[in-house]
Amino acid sequence: MTIIVHGETDIIFNNKAWESRQSFEDYVEAPIKQAGGIGPRFGYWKTYLEGIAMVANTSKYLGPIPTNAQMEKFINTVNLLLDQLETKEFREHYEELIEELIMSGETTRSLIEKRKENPKKKKVTDDIKLKICDSLRRFWWHHTKQTITGSFDNKNPDIPGNQDEQNVLSNPGAYFVQKVFDIYLGVKLDNRQVRSLIEATEKKYNRAEYKFPLTWELVKVD
């Protein structure tokens, strides 16, 4: 499975970590148990993480809306290309491209309207990170029945070179989020960034909805 989302922060799925049971035990199972929860099965985590990756992979195609300057440059480029393709030397060889460029006008008009509605440029990776964080806190809740809170600035001086790492003993939830982004998605977040991400996720998404039981929790096994 491959996922690469380029933007303010590149998100690159780490297949090696995804296949590693050791990574699972160190960065998923350990913090959950530290929080008093029941560790998930390795296969279930892989499936869940794969679902998160698929959402991110789909979201990247939504992309940020081009700026007005970018749209103007694009329109000028298309017009110049159409002028050239309409000459007899090119017309018969590029009929499909000419048709696609003409049809792209509808997409262009739609993007211009979206830009008018939302003049502030949107960072697609910021939005994807919030979605991923929301999925992670859901996973965390259903295995620990705890929200991710605590001291986000409690550094771990016992680990050389990792003074800006969440302490799994004092805040296993934040440690879990930080490590999943780092180990599995290639996004390094310092303590301040992890705190901002979690708080922004809490603000954007319903704070209680993610605590509703999952389907498998409603099924009674005799």
Side-chain angles (χ1 to χ4, degrees), residues 198-217:
I198 292 173
E199 291 178 345
T201 302
E202 285 283 340
K203 183 177 181 180
K204 179 170 182 177
Y205 294 97
N206 188 302
R207 298 190 178 195
E209 188 272 333
Y210 73 92
K211 296 181 181 180
F212 292 165
L214 296 177
T215 303
W216 62 265
E217 292 181 305

Side-chain angles (χ1 to χ4, degrees), residues 120-165:
K120 184 177 180 181
K121 186 175 181 181
K122 184 179 180 181
K123 298 176 181 178
V124 65
T125 47
D126 284 352
D127 189 52
I128 291 176
K129 283 192 292 185
L130 290 175
K131 290 179 181 178
I132 293 174
C133 186
D134 183 49
S135 295
L136 293 178
R137 70 182 186 143
R138 288 168 183 265
F139 186 88
W140 182 260
W141 167 262
H142 287 291
H143 287 89
T144 67
K145 291 299 181 286
Q146 294 183 19
T147 55
I148 300 176
T149 57
S151 174
F152 291 96
D153 300 316
N154 194 340
K155 300 179 181 180
N156 191 345
D158 297 327
I159 304 177
N162 288 287
Q163 285 75 25
D164 203 15
E165 177 183 276

Side-chain angles (χ1 to χ4, degrees), residues 45-76:
W45 164 248
K46 289 182 66 178
T47 301
Y48 194 85
L49 187 62
E50 188 174 21
I52 292 176
M54 289 177 65
V55 170
N57 200 39
T58 301
S59 299
K60 74 178 181 180
Y61 295 111
L62 301 178
I65 303 171
T67 63
N68 290 327
Q70 288 174 323
M71 289 304 304
E72 183 177 354
K73 183 178 180 180
F74 174 77
I75 292 171
N76 291 336

Side-chain angles (χ1 to χ4, degrees), residues 9-111:
T9 304
D10 292 345
I11 297 175
I12 303 175
F13 192 85
N14 187 334
N15 284 283
K16 186 176 181 180
W18 182 62
E19 293 283 0
S20 170
R21 178 174 290 275
Q22 189 62 54
S23 293
F24 163 74
E25 292 176 354
D26 292 343
Y27 308 120
V28 179
E29 188 176 48
I32 287 176
K33 289 184 176 180
Q34 177 62 35
I38 300 175
R41 293 181 178 178
F42 180 42
Y44 176 71
W45 164 248
K46 289 182 66 178
T47 301
Y48 194 85
L49 187 62
E50 188 174 21
I52 292 176
M54 289 177 65
V55 170
N57 200 39
T58 301
S59 299
K60 74 178 181 180
Y61 295 111
L62 301 178
I65 303 171
T67 63
N68 290 327
Q70 288 174 323
M71 289 304 304
E72 183 177 354
K73 183 178 180 180
F74 174 77
I75 292 171
N76 291 336
T77 301
V78 170
N79 288 335
L80 285 172
L81 186 55
L82 281 173
D83 288 342
Q84 183 174 5
L85 293 175
E86 283 297 329
T87 61
K88 62 181 181 180
E89 291 85 1
F90 291 93
R91 188 184 304 115
E92 293 183 1
H93 304 289
Y94 292 95
E95 289 183 357
E96 292 185 4
L97 177 57
I98 293 173
E99 184 177 342
E100 289 181 6
L101 288 172
I102 293 174
M103 294 300 293
S104 71
E106 183 62 34
T107 300
T108 302
R109 283 189 290 273
S110 175
L111 287 173

Side-chain angles (χ1 to χ4, degrees), residues 168-195:
V168 67
L169 299 179
S170 59
N171 195 343
Y175 175 89
F176 165 70
V177 172
Q178 188 180 50
K179 284 301 183 181
V180 170
F181 269 96
D182 181 12
I183 303 302
Y184 291 96
L185 303 175
V187 179
K188 286 190 176 294
L189 302 171
D190 60 30
N191 288 345
R192 178 185 58 79
Q193 291 171 322
V194 170
R195 178 175 185 172

